[in-house]
Amino acid sequence: MTAASAPLAAPACEACGRRDAPARCSRCLSVWYCGPDCQRSGWRAHKSICARAAAAADREAEGQGTHSEGFGTSSASSSRPRKAPLEGWVEGAAAEKLLAKLPSAGRGKTVGEASVLAFCQSHAYLDALGEALSWQLSGDDPERSGKLANKLWERMGFEPIPPERHKYSLLHATPEASAPAPTPPAKMPPFAAAPSDEPYSEIPRRHALEFVGHRCPVIDAKGALSPNTMQELRKYMDIRNPMPCVIKNLPLFQRSVDSWDVEYLAQHMGDQLYHTFASSRDEKRFAYFFDERNEGGYEAPPIAEACKMTFKEFVQKQRDPKDGRAYYLQTPVLRYEGDQVTCAKFDERLEADLHAMDNKMMQQLAELGSFGPISRNQLFVSFSDFMTAIHYDQQHNLFLQIRGAKRFLLFDGALLPAVYAYPSHHPLDRKARLDLENPDFERFSKARALKGRGVEAVLERGDILFMPMSWFHHVHSVGAENVSLNWWFYDSGVLFEPSKVLWPLSPPSLVEFSRHVEYFIAEQLGPINVGRFVAWWLGRGPGALDSLLLDRWRLMRNYVMQRLALLPGEAGRSVLAMLDPLRWRDLAISPAPPKALQGLQDEHHVQGLLEGLSELSMGLFRCSMTGQAFRGLGRAIDEIPREKLRMFLECSEELLVLLRDHTDWKGEGEKSEAQVPPKGAFLFNREEAKRAPLAISRGLGDLCDLAAASRVVVTTVDNGFFANWLQVLDARLFAGEAAAVEPAWVLTGNEREFNYGEAGDDVFAGLFEALTPEPASASATGVCAEPHMVRNRQNLLLVNVFRGRFLQGPWAKSRRRLYSDAAKKIFRPCKAALTARDEALASVHRAPGAPLIGVHKRVDNPGTARMQLAQVMPCTAAYIRAVKTLAARRAGSAAAAEAAVVVLATDDEGAVAAFREAFGERLVFRGEARRCAGGIDPQSRLPIEVHGQSGNRLTIADARDCLIDALLLAACDAFVHADSNVTIAAGIMNPDTEAVQVRDLVPDAQAAGEWPGYRRCRLPI
């Protein structure tokens, strides 16, 4: 037996039950002990289990064995078999077995291999795998490094669940084994100083000349898209390695070149408001700013202010220097969505101009470049010396210069690290941090790699620039007025779409691949953690302090590196370079970043929150949890008071324990939900039980939404009275303290079970005092707040067969008290109910010292029986024995026990006579309440019950009887119960009363009846 590294939850000793057992069995790794003494004392019982578990682990290590079942899978929806928990496989015999099987055993070791084995020997297997993958990515001895990485990956690899392997993401695509060699790029002409007679040569560049190394090639179309022109363009518009080029004398939209100056546009663009950007008249510097995409919580002022104005206002403001600002209009002209084309609100003249576009020529160019569908035409209107900061687009661009001229400086997307591109979750996404006009090489040292790498293009009137997607471009407007129009095209799938992408990946595909890595990390760790994670991974920055979080970071690192290692040639290393941590360095984060999607942080103290919750911490909330669970738990810690969140997790833990112990994980028993399991069989089948973790994870999200709502409306569920009572209570507990919670209990007349009155009756108003203060229906502005609707109970331990555990277990007392505090805020029983309770209790004399014992006896029928975890209702005699046993336990003497007063709350008419006979005048019960005999209706074959019977319309008085029964039970010193909502409510109304399950007092209780052929209730998950 060996000492273990810190587990994710406090394990219990298999022998003595003590928490925080420090070591585990080194043979099977499945149980924990306090030390050698406990292991020896428990060996007899553990011996046979250990042998089977160890054998299964060995088979799994060889890739051919079975896998253990339970909640350790990545998600309930995952069909992948569960591997042994990653956090557990860290010591003893497992390490020695691995080292013996490594392909390098007994050979001379390289530096990389030695580093991997050093991690293995210290049991840091996640780091060992990371080191092996890093060695493989380096390209040093790929055969040996690949074998070593693959061997470790078999045991320690992480795979995201299918819904998180998004179809759009290149990260999860599998490279083709026999991809053709990459196409060499077309050569760019070398740059030479511009002759003095070149147009606009007198206007200084707004980029450093040292960046320029090439001139953009120019193709003269000579007025038509001829075969020769097409042949010339093909080498630049090759989709496998596209390069920019300038096309002259191509009449793609000649009418705009002939007519569209600023005055003409002002006459015909109408009074529509157009997208415009405003900048300082001194700087004339512009760029898009996407504040709605700022999921990373960055502090970043926009480079230019976005505004809207008519075209005439735009021209007037530009010509009037009083406000000190320059204006750049950039607005869509035509939008293309399938077969629909949407035009801006131009006059007839300008619309006629748009019809003069040569769409056939445009389509020929699109086919030549393997473009996807056209996205839109964008109009750009600026003036002399305006500059658009360096950025790249995710669409192919045909850019037509209509008036004036533009000077472009272009860089291949592979130079992304050298321009220090902003992160994908920054509002300046796809733009560069580097200022090409005034480069700071001290701060951005890698920018020196840009020297001599830029491609300069000067676009004059009538010229068209082809800019491939993912090429960085810095744009300088020259000339008194500047008008341009472009055609943006989506990718056809061959660059970005995993199912169509061309292998090996082209430079634009690698840029997109790097973005998909950022998206994946953001989804799995939270956008705010991406920079910190990359700095830890590639920049040796500090990692997470919490051990669970740090292990998760290791898993994400390993997964990304394993995907990069699959890329052929230099591609993986190119993507790594694009993830340079310097891109995130010194970026300011808001003091209050958005929390909804950020995931777990060190300050959340996750280990403390999950302490003692072994099924959750080794099942749902472990380092390999789904991204949804990771973010959901982080959001829940931020938004739900910790005491309430811990209570919800404790209830979820108990639910998982019930499923663990009552599920046919091997699939050997009854599979159909519609059938009752045979006696002694498992209650749940594997597939339905595996949905529980996902239900818990979704439940956390629902609780967060509820906690954030200012107004909550709780609708009725067509179920019994106390099912709805608990639903309202659940909402009140988890809603914010200032939130208005409104029970919507007005009947429609169509209810089958919750039918306490006629259509239009307000059941809540008939049973409880009005809520004070009245629920706020409008905000301070007078606008009605949109309510958050609650249609089900949030706590799964309050529903179905699980509810019997609510009043039991080590955490029962604390959760009853939490719910009791919430109940006092919303449920104040009406005077009639309280009076009826008091009169019933006063009807029987209670001797001094005599205990007051309650009992809730449900009628027996298939419906009530199948809501019990045991699937049967105990007989009446068992209840009477249980009451006597509990009275004796509560009383100070035999005489006091004999004098115990018994409160009977029941809907079983046959039980009344039996309890009268047993307790005589010491029995308290309300004779006016409706009761029935139970069993099955011979005609309808439905269970016979007072509540929930078709055609049996009840009244508010019947609901009041239910409420009075619960109030009576809550007034007792202790009560006996089966699993029911009434007893849960009573236990909440008085959290100090003792609630005891009848079978805990009478283990050999006989069943009241057997109901073969009736299906059990389906799980609400």
Side-chain angles (χ1 to χ4, degrees):
M1 184 174 64
T2 60
S5 61
L8 294 183
C13 175
E14 184 75 4
C16 70
R18 196 198 88 181
R19 287 285 179 185
D20 299 306
R24 71 171 72 181
C25 175
S26 61
R27 185 185 186 197
C28 69
L29 305 176
S30 63
V31 297
W32 295 78
Y33 294 103
C34 296
D37 291 339
C38 281
Q39 186 180 26
R40 281 192 290 270
S41 68
W43 176 243
R44 183 182 296 274
H46 178 60
K47 182 177 180 180
S48 60
I49 299 172
C50 183
R52 290 196 301 271
D58 286 343
R59 288 194 301 272
E60 186 182 349
E62 294 299 328
Q64 60 188 15
T66 58
H67 298 265
S68 58
E69 292 287 355
F71 300 106
T73 48
S74 293
S75 166
S77 61
S78 173
S79 59
R80 183 170 55 89
R82 175 192 179 188
K83 293 185 177 182
L86 299 176
E87 300 82 356
W89 193 71
V90 292
E91 61 273 318
E96 301 306 321
K97 289 176 183 178
L98 172 70
L99 292 176
K101 294 174 183 177
L102 288 177
S104 57
R107 295 169 54 182
K109 299 178 180 62
T110 65
V111 173
E113 195 168 12
S115 179
V116 173
L117 297 182
F119 277 120
C120 286
Q121 287 163 341
S122 62
H123 312 306
Y125 292 108
L126 289 174
D127 284 330
L129 175 56
E131 195 71 15
L133 290 165
S134 181
W135 179 29
Q136 184 182 13
L137 267 173
S138 73
D140 178 25
D141 198 349
E143 182 178 356
R144 292 179 73 185
S145 61
K147 286 181 178 179
L148 183 57
N150 290 340
K151 192 65 185 179
L152 283 161
W153 183 262
E154 288 176 8
R155 188 69 198 202
M156 302 302 296
F158 164 82
E159 292 284 349
I161 62 172
E164 292 178 0
R165 294 199 294 270
H166 299 289
K167 292 182 179 179
Y168 70 78
S169 179
L170 291 170
L171 177 65
H172 311 296
T174 302
E176 291 181 1
S178 57
T183 305
K187 292 184 178 180
M188 295 283 105
F191 175 77
S196 58
D197 59 348
E198 182 180 88
Y200 309 105
S201 60
E202 74 281 2
I203 299 178
R205 290 177 171 81
R206 293 195 66 174
H207 57 258
L209 187 59
E210 60 189 322
F211 289 129
V212 185
H214 304 276
R215 278 198 178 280
C216 193
V218 177
I219 297 170
D220 189 349
K222 299 177 181 179
L225 192 58
S226 65
N228 287 339
T229 301
M230 295 277 282
Q231 186 63 30
E232 281 291 305
L233 287 173
R234 187 168 284 112
K235 60 185 177 183
Y236 298 105
M237 299 178 72
D238 179 359
I239 196 62
R240 288 188 176 273
N241 213 330
M243 304 290 284
C245 64
V246 174
I247 312 169
K248 287 184 173 290
N249 301 314
L250 185 67
L252 183 58
F253 188 17
Q254 190 60 39
R255 184 173 297 182
S256 68
V257 177
D258 295 339
S259 306
W260 284 21
D261 58 18
V262 171
E263 291 299 329
Y264 180 88
L265 292 173
Q267 291 176 27
H268 300 292
M269 285 185 68
D271 295 328
Q272 181 177 336
L273 299 179
Y274 296 102
H275 293 286
T276 310
F277 293 90
S279 177
S280 159
R281 192 170 284 266
D282 294 331
E283 291 190 352
K284 299 177 182 177
R285 186 182 181 90
F286 300 88
Y288 288 103
F289 183 87
F290 304 106
D291 192 41
E292 68 277 7
R293 300 184 193 174
N294 189 12
E295 295 178 355
Y298 295 99
E299 283 190 334
I303 293 174
E305 177 190 346
C307 46
K308 286 188 175 184
M309 59 188 69
T310 66
F311 195 90
K312 289 180 179 178
E313 288 173 335
F314 158 70
V315 175
Q316 182 181 358
K317 284 178 176 290
Q318 180 59 36
R319 291 174 176 172
D320 183 359
K322 292 181 180 178
D323 68 357
R325 299 204 292 179
Y327 294 88
Y328 195 158
L329 185 140
Q330 301 183 23
T331 196
V333 171
L334 293 174
R335 296 179 184 271
Y336 303 81
E337 297 179 7
D339 296 332
Q340 298 293 319
V341 180
T342 305
C343 180
K345 295 178 181 178
F346 298 155
D347 68 4
E348 292 181 0
R349 177 69 177 274
L350 210 54
E351 284 193 16
D353 288 350
L354 293 173
H355 285 288
M357 284 185 188
D358 193 331
N359 289 318
K360 181 179 179 181
M361 183 182 292
M362 180 268 291
Q363 188 61 38
Q364 286 178 294
L365 289 170
E367 290 175 359
L368 180 64
S370 300
F371 302 162
I374 186 170
S375 165
R376 67 181 184 271
N377 295 109
Q378 183 107 329
L379 178 68
F380 302 83
V381 183
S382 61
F383 298 88
S384 180
D385 209 28
F386 281 31
M387 188 266 286
T388 302
I390 182 170
H391 65 285
Y392 73 90
D393 299 315
Q394 291 177 287
Q395 300 181 41
H396 295 295
N397 195 342
L398 292 174
F399 194 94
L400 170 65
Q401 190 65 22
I402 295 173
R403 284 290 185 278
K406 278 189 169 67
R407 182 180 285 132
F408 287 78
L409 182 62
L410 304 113
F411 293 96
D412 185 351
L415 292 169
L416 184 149
V419 301
Y420 293 80
Y422 280 99
S424 296
H425 297 88
H426 194 283
L428 292 171
D429 173 33
R430 294 188 286 107
K431 294 157 193 66
R433 298 178 64 187
L434 179 70
D435 182 356
L436 294 186
E437 192 172 15
N438 299 292
D440 184 346
F441 292 115
E442 294 301 317
R443 185 182 179 196
F444 302 114
S445 59
K446 291 188 177 183
R448 294 185 176 93
L450 297 176
K451 293 181 179 181
R453 302 288 295 276
V455 178
E456 190 174 86
V458 176
L459 220 60
E460 299 180 83
R461 183 176 177 182
D463 291 350
I464 298 172
L465 172 65
F466 165 58
M467 274 191 297
M469 59 174 60
S470 302
W471 270 71
F472 285 93
H473 45 286
H474 176 92
V475 190
H476 182 197
S477 299
V478 292
E481 63 179 46
N482 207 290
V483 181
S484 313
L485 183 78
N486 81 341
W487 289 256
W488 261 320
F489 297 86
Y490 294 116
D491 170 40
S492 62
V494 296
L495 294 180
F496 287 3
E497 191 174 328
S499 62
K500 299 179 182 178
V501 72
L502 296 175
W503 299 94
L505 298 181
S506 64
S509 299
L510 292 176
V511 172
E512 191 67 11
F513 195 112
S514 74
R515 293 181 66 86
H516 294 172
V517 173
E518 291 186 53
Y519 296 158
F520 174 75
I521 296 168
E523 180 179 49
Q524 296 294 328
L525 301 181
I528 201 171
N529 287 325
V530 176
R532 188 180 167 205
F533 169 82
V534 172
W536 163 80
W537 170 23
L538 300 172
R540 300 298 183 260
L545 300 177
D546 186 286
S547 60
L548 183 149
L549 271 60
L550 187 55
D551 273 351
R552 182 170 182 80
W553 285 27
R554 291 179 175 120
L555 286 176
M556 299 308 119
R557 171 202 62 194
N558 293 351
Y559 179 75
V560 172
M561 286 203 296
Q562 192 264 352
R563 304 307 300 174
L564 294 178
L566 294 176
L567 299 179
E570 298 289 322
R573 290 188 285 280
S574 297
V575 174
L576 271 184
M578 294 178 188
L579 296 170
D580 189 339
L582 296 177
R583 290 174 50 204
W584 285 266
R585 187 178 64 184
D586 300 331
L587 288 177
I589 301 289
S590 169
K595 293 182 176 180
L597 298 173
Q598 294 305 337
L600 296 170
Q601 313 293 330
D602 284 324
E603 56 266 28
H604 286 150
H605 305 294
V606 184
Q607 300 285 21
L609 180 67
L610 298 178
E611 184 178 358
L613 307 179
S614 58
E615 288 299 315
L616 282 172
S617 59
M618 293 300 286
L620 182 59
F621 299 127
R622 65 198 192 286
C623 69
S624 53
M625 70 183 86
T626 64
Q628 179 194 37
F630 187 91
R631 298 191 311 275
L633 183 57
R635 182 187 175 198
I637 295 172
D638 283 331
E639 298 188 6
I640 303 171
R642 199 171 182 93
E643 184 182 20
K644 295 179 182 179
L645 176 59
R646 170 70 189 199
M647 183 274 291
F648 176 83
L649 295 178
E650 288 168 350
C651 291
S652 300
E653 171 78 6
E654 294 196 42
L655 179 141
L656 292 181
V657 169
L658 287 172
L659 287 170
R660 181 197 68 194
D661 296 341
H662 293 82
T663 295
D664 180 13
W665 291 110
K666 295 183 179 180
E668 296 173 353
E670 191 69 54
K671 295 290 185 70
S672 173
E673 291 186 6
Q675 298 298 320
V676 178
K679 201 166 187 178
F682 290 108
L683 188 56
F684 312 112
N685 69 54
R686 177 174 54 195
E687 294 309 312
E688 63 177 344
K690 286 175 67 176
R691 292 196 292 266
L694 187 59
I696 294 168
S697 183
R698 286 175 176 166
L700 279 177
D702 292 342
L703 291 185
C704 291
D705 294 340
L706 179 55
S710 60
R711 180 178 171 226
V712 178
V713 173
V714 189
T715 63
T716 60
V717 58
D718 197 14
N719 207 317
F721 168 73
F722 273 110
N724 285 275
W725 188 90
L726 289 171
Q727 185 162 303
V728 172
L729 179 60
D730 226 10
R732 178 62 275 173
L733 175 66
F734 289 106
E737 291 297 324
V741 178
E742 306 168 29
W745 283 13
V746 177
L747 300 181
T748 65
N750 297 320
E751 296 83 1
R752 189 178 76 88
E753 294 192 41
F754 193 73
N755 61 354
Y756 299 103
E758 302 299 328
D761 286 350
D762 188 337
V763 178
F764 190 88
L767 298 174
F768 303 100
E769 293 182 10
L771 297 174
T772 52
E774 288 294 328
S777 59
S779 65
T781 61
V783 179
C784 185
E786 186 69 24
H788 174 80
M789 305 301 294
V790 174
R791 296 182 172 87
N792 54 270
R793 279 162 277 183
Q794 313 297 319
N795 188 343
L796 291 175
L797 204 63
L798 290 174
V799 297
N800 209 281
V801 295
F802 306 123
R803 60 189 178 179
R805 288 290 304 175
F806 184 86
L807 298 175
Q808 301 174 340
W811 301 304
K813 197 77 170 179
S814 60
R815 62 176 166 248
R816 286 171 63 183
R817 198 164 297 284
L818 271 177
Y819 275 100
S820 180
D821 291 342
K824 294 171 185 174
K825 298 175 183 176
I826 197 163
F827 294 121
R828 290 190 294 277
C830 63
K831 185 177 180 180
L834 295 175
T835 300
R837 176 201 62 186
D838 295 341
E839 289 176 350
L841 291 174
S843 66
V844 174
H845 172 70
R846 182 181 176 189
L852 183 62
I853 304 297
V855 55
H856 182 229
K857 169 64 175 75
R858 291 256 21 217
V859 70
D860 183 45
N861 62 44
T864 58
R866 299 311 174 212
M867 292 299 287
Q868 308 299 305
L869 192 61
Q871 294 294 282
V872 292
M873 289 294 295
C875 64
T876 302
Y879 280 93
I880 292 173
R881 284 175 55 198
V883 169
K884 291 179 177 179
T885 303
L886 183 57
R889 194 171 77 187
R890 296 283 307 188
S893 64
E898 286 295 322
V901 174
V902 177
V903 175
L904 175 62
T906 184
D907 56 353
D908 183 354
E909 64 183 19
V912 175
F915 271 83
R916 270 181 173 166
E917 182 178 349
F919 300 104
E921 295 182 354
R922 293 182 289 121
L923 182 68
V924 176
F925 78 100
R926 299 183 64 251
E928 58 268 43
R930 283 206 217 187
R931 298 182 176 88
C932 68
I936 302 171
D937 186 300
Q939 293 183 343
S940 68
R941 300 300 299 166
L942 292 174
I944 298 175
E945 197 169 347
V946 172
H947 304 268
Q949 295 303 297
S950 179
N952 182 23
R953 198 76 192 177
L954 302 174
T955 67
I956 288 182
D958 295 307
R960 190 178 302 120
D961 287 337
C962 291
L963 177 59
I964 296 167
D965 276 352
L967 291 169
L968 283 168
L969 293 173
C972 296
D973 301 319
F975 61 81
V976 173
H977 67 93
D979 302 342
S980 74
N981 292 331
V982 173
T983 49
I984 291 176
I988 289 171
M989 291 175 181
N990 182 2
D992 295 318
T993 190
E994 182 183 7
V996 188
Q997 232 279 354
V998 61
R999 291 186 177 276
D1000 290 340
L1001 295 166
V1002 186
D1004 59 346
Q1006 292 184 350
E1010 298 285 348
W1011 308 106
Y1014 283 83
R1015 70 183 189 187
R1016 64 164 170 80
C1017 293
R1018 296 174 185 270
L1019 296 185
I1021 52 179

